[in-house]
Amino acid sequence: MNTRTTMTDLSTRQLRAFLTLADSASFTRAAAACHLSQPAFSALIRGLEDQVGLRLFDRSTRHVALTPEGAALRPRAQRLLEEFEAALEGLRELAARERGRVSIALLPSLAAGWLPEVLAGFRARWPGITLSVADVLSEPCIERVQRGEADFALAAVRADTPELQAEPFCTDGFHLVLPAGHRLTQGPMPTPADLHGEAFIHLSRISSVRQYIEAALHPQVPPATLEVEQLATVAGLVRAGLGLSIVPALTLYQFQDPGLVTRPLAWPGLARQIYLVQRRDRGLSVAAQALHDWLTAHPPAP
């Protein structure tokens, strides 16, 4: 058999018929598996043998078996079909990524600081994918995934439930924010005891930031002098000398101001884990998986 010449001329239909007959050892069963009448299936096998110029099966009234030449063809035919199907799947994935749709939900601190540049790289790679971004707090992030409004979410809540699965995405440290000239801008890293007696600006209790701070500093949590919703408000209040605050490292873009000083805090337990959350009962679409893989390949810098 001239494999180099004939194998390139064989159709996938012929190869599938050949492999089906080799597996079943029955023209009747093989024809049924290929959804063909027995005469049509037999003609397909005869055409294959005519094309390669060799007998591939020994036939009797009760028995069908591969000839030595058929046995030699079998692994090559299997490999060719697997390669062809893998190529088709790759084309299908490429087509889906060129016209897919993805919806994600994530914390505002991630959406404003880290996401834009990463998303720009993704858009340049897959310009045909339509993107929807919801920049909301952790609980609304989780709710959007539960309701099917988001393919996946990045949230500071480990939502491991019968419906949802969560995998670690990144870890976020915390920084103390002070007005320039404050006594704690100099010297060793401030301790929780150094905050006693200081006016303190807290984010609202529903924020994951507030919850992490209270858990890490309990029972020595500084009482709130003011409680606000937005990080930009925190920056303005601290700059005006109305108090200090503790904020995640991923939000430091909000505090790049000559009137402010930020200092990293390495206190035990003061770290925020960000999780990637998705539903357990459904896989991601090709487009959503592409974005998932892109984001996990470009996590926030430590």
Side-chain angles (χ1 to χ4, degrees):
M1 178 174 61
N2 186 340
T3 304
R4 182 181 299 274
T5 300
T6 60
M7 290 294 281
T8 58
D9 297 331
L10 304 183
S11 71
T12 57
R13 188 164 179 256
Q14 289 174 313
L15 291 178
R16 288 193 180 94
F18 166 76
L19 291 171
T20 302
L21 182 56
D23 290 340
S24 66
S26 164
F27 272 87
T28 301
R29 290 194 296 270
C34 292
H35 306 289
L36 293 172
S37 67
Q38 190 165 332
F41 183 84
S42 297
L44 195 62
I45 296 298
R46 283 197 304 272
L48 173 62
E49 291 179 321
D50 290 344
Q51 194 166 345
V52 300
L54 294 167
R55 187 165 50 85
L56 301 175
F57 293 94
D58 285 325
R59 304 160 173 84
S60 70
T61 56
R62 297 183 178 181
H63 184 68
V64 177
L66 286 167
T67 63
E69 294 78 13
L73 175 62
R74 188 177 191 174
R76 301 179 187 182
Q78 186 67 51
R79 185 174 64 253
L80 281 174
L81 272 182
E82 289 172 353
E83 292 174 354
F84 178 74
E85 289 167 359
L88 279 184
E89 182 61 26
L91 289 174
R92 292 189 193 101
E93 289 192 4
L94 180 62
R97 291 182 184 185
E98 288 178 348
R99 59 175 182 268
R101 180 181 297 273
V102 189
S103 177
I104 64 170
L106 73 170
L107 296 170
S109 56
L110 286 166
W114 160 77
L115 184 67
E117 184 175 350
V118 177
L119 213 54
F122 180 81
R123 173 60 61 81
R125 179 68 181 86
W126 303 110
I129 292 181
T130 301
L131 299 170
S132 174
V133 177
D135 52 340
V136 292
L137 297 180
S138 287
E139 292 301 334
C141 279
I142 302 305
E143 290 168 3
R144 284 175 177 266
V145 177
Q146 288 175 322
R147 295 194 298 263
E149 296 172 2
D151 294 292
F152 60 89
L154 296 174
V157 174
R158 188 181 186 112
D160 269 323
T161 70
E163 288 182 314
L164 303 175
Q165 64 182 26
E167 57 185 273
F169 179 71
C170 69
T171 301
D172 193 11
F174 282 82
H175 284 61
L176 182 64
V177 183
L178 314 103
H182 190 279
R183 64 181 180 85
L184 294 179
T185 60
Q186 304 295 324
M189 181 183 70
T191 67
D194 292 325
L195 302 186
H196 290 172
E198 293 285 347
F200 206 84
I201 313 297
H202 271 301
L203 286 169
S204 70
R205 291 184 179 276
I206 64 171
S207 71
S208 63
V209 174
R210 176 73 171 273
Q211 294 165 15
Y212 271 91
I213 292 172
E214 291 189 342
L217 299 185
H218 181 80
Q220 299 179 353
V221 182
T225 303
L226 290 167
E227 185 175 303
V228 298
E229 298 280 347
Q230 304 298 328
L231 287 165
T233 307
V234 173
L237 294 174
V238 175
R239 184 173 55 246
L242 294 172
L244 315 183
S245 192
I246 297 175
V247 300
L250 288 172
T251 70
L252 290 180
Y253 66 92
Q254 294 266 25
F255 301 91
Q256 296 175 355
D257 186 295
L260 298 173
V261 175
T262 61
R263 301 193 65 184
L265 299 175
W267 298 345
L270 190 58
R272 184 172 66 151
Q273 181 69 58
I274 308 297
Y275 297 93
L276 193 152
V277 181
Q278 64 187 82
R279 292 186 64 93
R280 292 184 185 275
D281 59 354
R282 66 186 68 162
L284 296 175
S285 67
V286 172
Q289 187 66 53
L291 181 59
H292 172 286
D293 295 345
W294 186 268
L295 297 185
T296 54
H298 300 84

